[in-house]
Amino acid sequence: MGLVLGIDVSTTATKAVLVDEEGTVRGVASSQYDYSVPTPLWSEQDPGLWWDAGIDAIRSVLGTTGLTGADVVAVGLTGQMHGAVLLDEGGAVLRPAILWNDQRTAAECDEIRRAVGPERLVAITGNDALTGFTAPKLVWVRDHEPDVWRRVAHVLLPKDHVRLRLTGDYAIDKADGAGTLLFDLAARDWSSEVLEALRIDPAWLPATWEGPEVTGTLTAEAAAATGLPAGTPVVAGGGDQSANAVGVGVVAPGTMALSLGTSGVVFAATDRPLFEPRGRVHAFCHAVPGRWHMMSVMLSAAGSLRWYRDTLAPGEAFGDLVAPAADVPAGSDGLFFLPYLSGERSPHPDPLARGAFVGLTVRHDRRHMTRAVLEGVAFGLRDGPT
């Protein structure tokens, strides 16, 4: 029975999962790394970390399952969305990748709205200009790092840089492409109007593919590094949220999913390119051909609980931290937590939004604070789709 290898290039680890033809997970491995915050609001990462961790994760999952690369018949890719990976003509990385949670580009978002027109921008892309998207990052580099800008020949997203290392091909799936703010949502391809308005060379952008399509095959060099066979097909895949939706079966209109990681996402599949007129929730292409989706995103969901644990109870198991909060009544006796530790996206697109505990009194203890964090995240998720 042939196996499919999935590679997930996330913000803090690259993961490898082996799945057989019946959908059974045969093995999972991951290799962790960190990202840098060189100045407040910034978030960057060395793309070399993804490839090195990918090699480690692939070899680890093969080793721990007792399987070999010869058992793998195809590779699929997913990962963190919206990042900006800038490469020169030879494919060399020009600067650290700017990640999805980077918040430096508020001024560039205003510039994009002026250049395209706010209503026209949403009509074309399905989205308002938000700091997390790729397009504002490119405008920032254009205006602040002209030496880098002059050398740009290719723009990729994080998982597609790993694809390049696997196959030697520049390619991107339509779901992840739609998250750049450079896509024509209805046409499912790059928008010449937006690219022209932002002075971005269309030659820099790779060909776009539907999620199940094969974009290339493993090179001999990648095969030697990973232990997989040369010539193994690599499919387009999708950004992490659209891939997650496929995995849990949210592909038909009317189905929805909630996912919690560093961020929190409410995801709804559609059969046509719908969008919210003010862009308060996202509208992207799905990884499934002929499908789109709408998505509400809060930036610090489970990330809020992790920050709370690491700051006030370092090393404590999450279960031990959370269990006592069950004794606290709903509403945490008047204590509230605002989960805006990294700014916010839906439905409050504000990179400068800040978190807070509100209503602290001497009667509150750690149980109340823990429950307030959980309630703040829950209501933040409820707030988004409204």
Side-chain angles (χ1 to χ4, degrees), residues 261-284:
T262 303
S263 62
V265 175
V266 179
F267 184 109
T270 68
D271 59 1
R272 58 193 188 279
L274 303 176
F275 59 87
E276 200 279 324
R278 288 187 285 172
R280 294 180 300 171
V281 297
H282 308 328
F284 299 142

Side-chain angles (χ1 to χ4, degrees), residues 132-305:
F133 292 157
T134 311
K137 299 174 175 64
L138 297 181
V139 173
W140 186 91
V141 173
R142 185 195 73 194
D143 294 344
H144 292 82
E145 297 181 347
D147 291 342
V148 171
W149 189 252
R150 282 192 291 269
R151 298 170 60 196
V152 174
H154 303 281
V155 176
L156 294 176
L157 299 185
K159 78 173 192 318
D160 301 306
H161 186 255
V162 172
R163 183 195 315 278
L164 176 65
R165 298 295 298 268
L166 289 170
T167 68
D169 296 315
Y170 296 92
I172 188 174
D173 67 282
K174 295 179 183 293
D176 230 357
T180 63
L181 199 68
L182 300 172
F183 237 52
D184 184 317
L185 182 67
R188 300 177 73 89
D189 211 341
W190 304 114
S191 166
S192 58
E193 181 176 342
V194 175
L195 293 174
E196 181 178 359
L198 304 186
R199 291 177 279 151
I200 296 172
D201 188 342
W204 295 353
L205 301 172
T208 65
W209 303 75
E210 295 289 356
E213 292 183 309
V214 174
T215 64
T217 59
L218 239 67
T219 65
E221 181 181 6
T226 61
L228 302 172
T232 303
V234 177
V235 301
D240 53 4
Q241 295 304 322
S242 57
N244 172 69
V246 171
V248 299
V250 180
V251 295
T255 56
M256 298 180 68
L258 168 64
S259 61
L260 293 173
T262 303
S263 62
V265 175
V266 179
F267 184 109
T270 68
D271 59 1
R272 58 193 188 279
L274 303 176
F275 59 87
E276 200 279 324
R278 288 187 285 172
R280 294 180 300 171
V281 297
H282 308 328
F284 299 142
C285 301
H286 206 318
V288 178
R291 292 284 188 272
W292 288 259
H293 68 88
M294 301 189 76
M295 190 167 79
S296 169
V297 179
M298 65 179 298
L299 294 179
S300 293
S304 288
L305 184 62

Side-chain angles (χ1 to χ4, degrees), residues 23 50 74-75 85 99 101 110 119 166 221 227 293 295 361 363:
W50 310 326
V75 176
V85 185
L99 301 188
N101 54 350
D110 289 338
E119 294 180 356
L166 289 170
E221 181 181 6
H293 68 88
M295 190 167 79
T361 69
R363 76 176 184 274

Side-chain angles (χ1 to χ4, degrees), residues 25 114 122 141 297 337:
V25 175
R114 288 192 296 269
V122 175
V141 173
V297 179
F337 175 72

